[in-house]
Structures are given as structure tokens and as C-alpha cells.
Amino acid sequence: MNLPMAPTLPLTGPQAGHSLDAQEIRELSEQVRALAADRNAVILAHNYQVPEVQDVADYVGDSLGLSRKAAETDSETIVFCGVHFMAETASILCPEKTVLIPDLDAGCSLAASIDAEQLAEWRARYPRGVVVMYVNTTAEVKALTDYCCTSANAVEVVRHIYATHGADTEILFGPDMWLGAYVEKELGRRMHVWDGECHVHAGIRPSDIEATRAAHPGADFLIHPECGCSTSVMEYVAAGDVSSEGVHMLSTGGMLGYAENAEREAKGSQAVVATEIGMLYPLRMAAPDVEFIPANAEASCQYMKMITLPKLRDALLEGKFEVRVPEEIAVRARVPIDRMVALG
Ligand code: 13P
Ligand code: SF4
């Protein structure tokens, strides 16, 4: 394969301590697109990626949408602009393809909150339990899981299990306790819930919602169910303190759906966004007439921000860093992922 040679640009960007200027973004983006075409690569980016990475990607979306795109692509190479478990999921779904991540250190505190040994011990305590794990987990954990889910389909996946395995089924849900509490509340049933959390979403507290409610009384609320404020917002709704009509518990993809709708129907409205702040960029692009206000402007995921245009360019240029899940794990981990994709 003949790869175009990149002119030697200095390694600039957030990792070098300053942002890229418009000219650097233009040049790097052109190199990335040329290299992707030459390598027959598709670039998938999560909604939390920096704007210039979202702009150069072939597809931007939430965890579920990205898994779907990975599963259906014809490209030989998938470059995952997201975190490590997402690249692993793509490798499990497409074992014949080359999956690259531009920075191997792009991890996830939520995925790190349970390992395979801990899950095996937990399972052993509830031998009849059905294990549902958020997709934010390692491949080894998925290999011990019955069903994966994302925030977009967690309620549907658990509802499906009660419908097919029986209403008394014991469910072991993990690793996110806030998402687990949300699913319990939606379905009115208790599960065994692991006490893990994402440090970014857990840091969005009820006090952030109080403050933004006071400052923007008419605004809608878009709340990611991983947030530390999600339980209290559900309580406000149940108590009638907040109108249920204005509160939307959504995955990042669901938030984008809200924005597209709001742009069509309610120009000039306001929405408070409780999730990682990278989400503000696609929301504002989708609905320029809606004012999106972060619930907590400090809620930034340092792992997602490790992916930069220079690293993406180098990943395509040098074919690094490959993420490949060993076959014996991939075969078992694929089952719960396939169920998740099918049920979404
Ligand atoms: P979704 O994009 O599936 O809502 O997930 C959010 C997240 O935290 C991914 O790391
Ligand atoms: Fe993981 Fe939280 Fe970052 Fe998402 S925002 S990748 S859940 S640490």
C-alpha cells in the first residue's frame, strides 16, 4: 500500500500544552482524510471527542451507534476516536479488521471499576443471576456477561430479561450504580447493582442542578443516567418539584435526537445539559437556535480528550495502536454485545 507522506508538522495540540490553530486544523484534517482514503479506513468518533476530531470523522455517535457502525462497515481499518473499551468492542465485533486507537492510554474510570476476577466472585454468590454489564467494561468482563447494554438501551435490555426469563429473575447489573438506580426506578424492580461510577458523571451533583434550575427556571434538563444528580432529579420529578415534561434522561445519542427535534419545533429555548462537556459541540451544531447550558462546566473526561488530530494522523500513518482482543475472550464477549446490538 502506498501511503502519502505527511509533511513534518510539529506535534501540536492539547497534549503539547496548547490548542491547534485554524491553519493547523485544516492541514491535519486534510492529511487525515487522505490517509484514511488510502488505508481504506473508517474514522468513528464518540460525541465527547474534541470538535476537530468530530469534524474529520466519518461517523460521530454514542456507544451504541458506534458499535453498530463498527459492525456494519466495509472498511479494512477502523480508527476509534474514543476510549479503549470502545475499540475493544469494535475488535470483538469485527475480528477480521484492523482496529486502531490513537492513544492506548485513553481508558475509562467506569470500566476500571470492575475486573473479571471481581465479576467472577460476584456471579458465584448469585449462581442463578443474569449478568447485565454496561458496555463500559473490559473485554474480559464482557466474556463473563450475559447481556451488555448502553445508556441508550439499558431499560429495554432489562425489560427483555424479565419478559423472557421471568419476572422474579435475579439481575446483577453493573458497573454503574447511577444507571442501575435509573433502571430500577423505571421498571419498579430491585436488582443487585455494582457500586462503580464514572468520575466525570458522578461529579455532576444535585447542587449543580439546583444552581442551574435557579439561574434558568424555564430550561429543559437533559440528564445522562450515569450522572450523580440523576437519582435526585428523578426524586424532584416524583415529588412534583420539577415538571416531568421538561426532564429527559438520555444517552448522548438521545440528547442529539432532542436537539434535532428542538431545532425543528422550539427555536429560542434553553436546555441544561448534564453530561461530559464535549457533548455541547454536537448539540450546538444540531440546534444553533437552542441555548445549551452545561450543568457543570468542569465535567470533562481527560481520557476522551487524549485523542487529538496529530495523534489521529500518526495512527493512520503508522498503523498504530492496534487493539486486538484474544480470540478465546472475543468469542465469549461477542455474545452479550450481539444481544445488546440486537435489542437496541
Ligand atoms: P453514551 O454515548 O452511550 O451515552 O455513553 C456515554 C459515555 O460515558 C461513554 O463513555
Ligand atoms: Fe469513561 Fe466517564 Fe470518560 Fe465516559 S466520561 S469514557 S464513562 S470516564
Side-chain angles (χ1 to χ4, degrees), residues 48 83 107-110 136 198-201 226 276 301 303-304:
Y48 299 159
V83 293
C108 168
S109 58
L110 181 54
N136 298 40
C198 149
H199 70 294
V200 180
H201 286 89
E226 280 177 30
E276 205 273 349
C301 175
Y303 302 115
M304 285 283 181

Side-chain angles (χ1 to χ4, degrees), residues 67 293 318-319:
S67 298
I293 304 143
E318 297 168 29

Side-chain angles (χ1 to χ4, degrees), residues 278-300:
M279 189 64 213
L280 293 165
Y281 178 69
L283 289 175
R284 288 170 178 159
M285 294 289 281
D289 295 313
V290 177
E291 187 188 354
F292 291 102
I293 304 143
N296 179 336
E298 305 294 307
S300 173

Side-chain angles (χ1 to χ4, degrees), residues 46 48 62-63 86 134 136 151 201 224 226 251-252 304:
H46 189 266
Y48 299 159
D62 67 3
S63 312
M86 295 179 175
Y134 201 28
N136 298 40
S151 48
H201 286 89
H224 197 283
E226 280 177 30
S251 69
T252 62
M304 285 283 181

